[in-house]
């Protein structure tokens, strides 16, 4: 990832309280990695009422286990209950919220006033954070929600940094803002394209990401319309009959043209940590409950380091190039600063084919390390073999590169490759490693 331009924040500087780092967790394993790699809190989804119905999501038993694990490290667990509910969705919500509270969940993230009111009435001990789905963009709206009893507002992604500072000037409330991850092309995620195209309700967790589909442009195929087109825009002979002149419509793109998408670039504010902190943002939110363990661990680890470095010595804080290099290893799309400094334009959207996959794979998880032999026990997560170049990294500063040497199974038998999912592999490593350190390989 190339270094981005450095806009200058011109708003009022606020207190320097250390912000919360809030990470996504699509399942229990991702929750544990997020906490291990530095998250102060994680947000998850239950089996109902969240906007990521295709994620693994959590049962109540898994929530309890996740809460117990997080508490050992001083972290909290929030649950997204941020659908816009239809009448049939409300049935059972009271019992659901009671179960969340009994599981030890610290807060729900909600958008629908009905769900907010029910939560405040039924489980007053459960905090309610206003979801970004409410598109809250100004201090008077934030003041309204404070008066409704909410301790925290997750601002709409369209809010600028100076607007955030103004909100903090007017309202004493916790402000949470997305600082990294995918952006929605619709207004704070409220979209009906998915409903129309696939009968999957975006606002009830079924978004099919239709803004990232590939689109063509068509013109009415009536004879008079077709005859006015340059010959170069005629459809190929292989085109379906419905797309041929005189019948229905014809494609205007050439065969060699790239298909069009409406997708935006991903948000990345790593280079602007001082501005975020000094503007008074209380919680830095990372998007990605559907993302991989490698993504969660890498991004959380980098932001943890940057936040801690700034808080330790604000006057001498320096952005480390290796942090940007690390983020690039987990990046899914090109990156920008969203709406924080200006309104995104055509350069902030993706119109042509992109490399969607991160350049590195999560290859193995360190389970144990023998200081006497220098041998590590690694749980296989993706195929790797002797001779491949790999990297180790971890939440306590582990980072080094090496080449895979001889591999053995747990019985000591030589292996030509680590082929089997979750197989425990023994191999020598060049430097000490610790449990929960990760091994990755370039794709």
């Amino acid at each position: 990832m190339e270094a981005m331009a450095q806009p200058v924040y011109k708003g009022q500087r606020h207190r320097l309280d250390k912000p919360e780092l809030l990470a996504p967790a699509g399942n229990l394993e991702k929750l544990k990695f997020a906490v291990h790699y530095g998250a102060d809190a994680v947000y998850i989804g239950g089996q109902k009422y969240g906007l990521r119905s295709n994620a693994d999501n959590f049962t109540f038993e898994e929530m309890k286990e996740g809460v117990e694990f997080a508490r050992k490290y001083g972290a909290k667990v929030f649950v997204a209950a941020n659908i816009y509910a239809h009448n049939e969705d409300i049935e059972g919500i009271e019992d659901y919220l009671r179960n969340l509270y009994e599981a030890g969940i610290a807060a729900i993230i909600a958008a629908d006033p009905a769900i907010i009111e029910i939560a405040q009435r039924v489980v007053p001990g459960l905090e309610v954070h206003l979801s970004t789905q409410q598109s809250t963009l100004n201090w008077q709206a934030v003041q309204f929600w404070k008066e409704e009893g909410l301790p925290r507002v997750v601002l709409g992604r369209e809010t600028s940094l100076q607007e955030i500072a103004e909100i903090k000037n007017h309202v004493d409330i916790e402000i949470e803002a997305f600082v990294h991850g995918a952006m929605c092309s619709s207004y704070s995620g409220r979209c009906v394209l998915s409903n129309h195209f696939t009968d999957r309700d975006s606002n009830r967790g079924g978004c099919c990401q239709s803004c990232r589909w590939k689109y063509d442009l068509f013109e009415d195929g009536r004879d008079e319309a077709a005859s006015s087109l340059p010959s170069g825009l005629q459809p190929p002979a292989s085109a379906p009959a419905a797309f041929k002149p005189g019948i229905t419509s014809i494609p205007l793109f050439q065969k060699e043209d790239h298909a069009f998408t409406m997708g935006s670039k991903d948000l990345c504010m790593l280079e602007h940590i001082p501005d975020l902190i000094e503007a008074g943002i209380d919680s830095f939110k990372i998007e990605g409950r559907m993302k991989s363990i490698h993504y969660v661990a890498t991004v959380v680890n980098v932001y943890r380091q940057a936040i801690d470095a700034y808080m330790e010595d604000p006057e001498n804080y320096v952005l480390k190039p290796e942090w940007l290099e690390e983020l690039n290893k987990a990046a899914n799309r090109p990156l920008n600063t969203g709406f924080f400094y200006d309104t995104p334009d055509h350069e902030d959207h993706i119109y042509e084919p992109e490399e969607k996959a991160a350049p590195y794979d999560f290859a193995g998880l360190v389970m144990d390390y023998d200081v006497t032999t220098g041998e590590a026990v690694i749980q296989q997560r993706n195929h790797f073999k002797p001779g491949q170049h790999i990297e180790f990294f971890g939440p306590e500063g582990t980072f080094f590169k090496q080449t895979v040497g001889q591999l053995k199974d747990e019985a000591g038998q030589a292996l030509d490759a680590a082929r089997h999912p979750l197989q425990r592999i023994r191999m020598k490593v060049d430097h000490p490693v610790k449990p929960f350190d990760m091994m990755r390989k370039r794709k």
Side-chain angles (χ1 to χ4, degrees):
M1 179 181 71
E2 295 182 0
M4 293 175 284
Q6 298 285 321
V8 178
Y9 169 59
K10 299 178 181 179
Q12 178 177 338
R13 303 292 176 176
H14 285 265
R15 66 186 188 279
L16 295 180
D17 293 343
K18 194 170 189 176
E20 170 187 273
L21 181 57
L22 177 58
N27 57 36
L28 186 57
E29 185 178 36
K30 292 177 185 178
L31 181 152
K32 293 179 179 180
F33 272 88
V35 172
H36 261 299
Y37 277 74
D40 299 303
V42 294
Y43 63 101
I44 66 175
Q47 300 293 312
K48 296 181 178 180
Y49 308 112
L51 287 183
R52 289 293 182 270
S53 60
N54 290 327
D56 291 344
N57 293 319
F58 285 66
T59 65
F60 291 123
E61 288 304 313
E62 288 173 330
M63 288 183 190
K64 290 178 182 177
E65 184 177 343
V67 167
E68 290 176 5
F69 180 87
R71 283 176 176 168
K72 292 178 182 177
Y73 296 87
K76 298 179 179 179
V77 180
F78 308 148
V79 169
N82 52 349
I83 67 166
Y84 281 104
H86 289 241
N87 290 327
E88 63 267 24
D89 296 322
I90 295 299
E91 183 178 354
I93 185 69
E94 292 188 6
D95 288 339
Y96 180 80
L97 294 171
R98 290 191 187 98
N99 286 331
L100 294 184
Y101 184 66
E102 291 172 2
I105 299 301
I108 63 167
I109 305 166
D112 194 308
I115 294 177
I116 293 171
E117 186 279 328
I118 293 170
Q120 291 175 320
R121 173 170 50 83
V122 175
V123 280
L126 181 65
E127 281 191 10
V128 179
H129 298 171
L130 189 71
S131 171
T132 189
Q133 300 301 119
Q134 262 293 344
S135 305
T136 308
L137 307 172
N138 64 79
W139 72 263
Q140 293 185 68
V142 173
Q143 181 66 38
F144 169 83
W145 288 110
K146 180 182 178 181
E147 292 171 0
E148 289 296 307
L150 275 62
R152 178 183 295 194
V153 168
V154 188
L155 295 176
R157 286 177 171 88
E158 301 81 15
T159 319
S160 72
L161 201 60
Q162 294 200 37
E163 288 173 324
I164 293 172
E166 186 175 357
I167 289 170
K168 293 295 291 188
N169 283 337
H170 284 89
V171 188
D172 183 16
I173 193 173
E174 290 183 4
I175 292 298
E176 180 178 309
F178 281 94
V179 301
H180 194 93
M183 297 284 283
C184 182
S185 292
S186 295
Y187 205 82
S188 284
R190 294 186 297 197
C191 174
V192 294
L193 289 178
S194 179
N195 302 54
H196 285 294
F197 292 166
T198 66
D199 198 26
R200 287 168 51 179
D201 192 336
S202 299
N203 297 299
R204 287 197 284 179
C207 178
C208 67
Q209 297 198 29
S210 46
C211 58
R212 300 197 185 277
W213 291 2
K214 295 180 180 179
Y215 292 88
D216 205 337
L217 181 64
F218 296 89
E219 183 163 337
D220 192 317
R222 291 174 297 178
D223 290 335
E224 60 269 26
S227 63
S228 65
L229 290 171
S231 59
L233 290 182
Q234 299 305 310
S238 59
F243 293 137
K244 292 182 179 178
I247 301 179
T248 304
S249 58
I250 58 176
L252 296 182
F253 286 174
Q254 296 296 294
K255 186 176 183 180
E256 63 273 14
D257 289 341
H258 295 308
F260 175 84
T261 74
M262 294 178 281
S264 63
K265 294 181 179 180
D266 283 2
L267 175 65
C268 175
M269 288 297 290
L270 179 69
E271 295 182 77
H272 309 282
I273 293 295
D275 282 357
L276 297 174
I277 294 175
E278 293 170 13
I281 298 174
D282 299 279
S283 180
F284 291 7
K285 189 170 192 173
I286 297 169
E287 181 275 338
R289 279 193 286 141
M290 300 287 285
K291 300 286 178 60
S292 69
I293 290 173
H294 176 244
Y295 173 91
V296 172
T298 301
V299 175
V300 170
N301 192 32
V302 169
Y303 276 88
R304 176 79 281 152
Q305 293 180 66
I307 292 169
D308 290 350
Y310 182 78
M311 296 305 300
E312 184 176 338
D313 189 1
E315 297 300 322
N316 297 300
Y317 172 79
V318 177
L319 177 76
K320 294 183 178 180
E322 55 263 36
W323 294 341
L324 294 171
E325 293 173 8
E326 278 293 289
L327 276 188
N328 189 49
K329 293 171 183 176
N332 285 269
R333 301 182 184 94
L335 304 171
N336 67 7
T337 57
F339 289 80
F340 277 104
Y341 295 102
D342 51 31
T343 301
D345 59 19
H346 66 282
E347 294 183 352
D348 296 298
H349 290 77
I350 301 169
Y351 301 111
E352 296 184 354
E354 52 174 318
E355 290 185 11
K356 291 190 176 181
Y360 282 79
D361 270 334
F362 175 24
L365 173 65
V366 174
M367 308 298 292
D368 200 3
Y369 173 70
D370 188 330
V371 67
T372 303
T373 64
E375 198 171 60
V377 177
I378 297 171
Q379 185 185 70
Q380 190 261 31
R381 293 304 182 96
N382 266 298
H383 180 280
F384 62 93
K385 61 184 179 181
Q388 282 188 312
H389 298 294
I390 56 171
E391 294 180 356
F392 284 92
F393 72 103
E396 297 182 34
T398 299
F399 183 82
F400 62 92
K401 302 177 182 181
Q402 75 169 71
T403 301
V404 177
Q406 184 183 30
L407 301 178
K408 296 182 290 185
D409 63 18
E410 286 191 284
Q413 297 296 312
L415 300 171
D416 65 344
R419 304 179 183 281
H420 306 296
L422 304 184
Q423 181 182 16
R424 292 167 73 96
I425 306 292
R426 304 184 72 89
M427 63 175 280
K428 284 207 171 182
V429 291
D430 292 351
H431 301 280
V433 290
K434 298 178 180 179
F436 266 92
D437 283 354
M438 298 175 71
M439 186 181 90
R440 62 186 169 209
K441 64 174 184 176
R442 178 177 284 278
K443 291 184 179 179

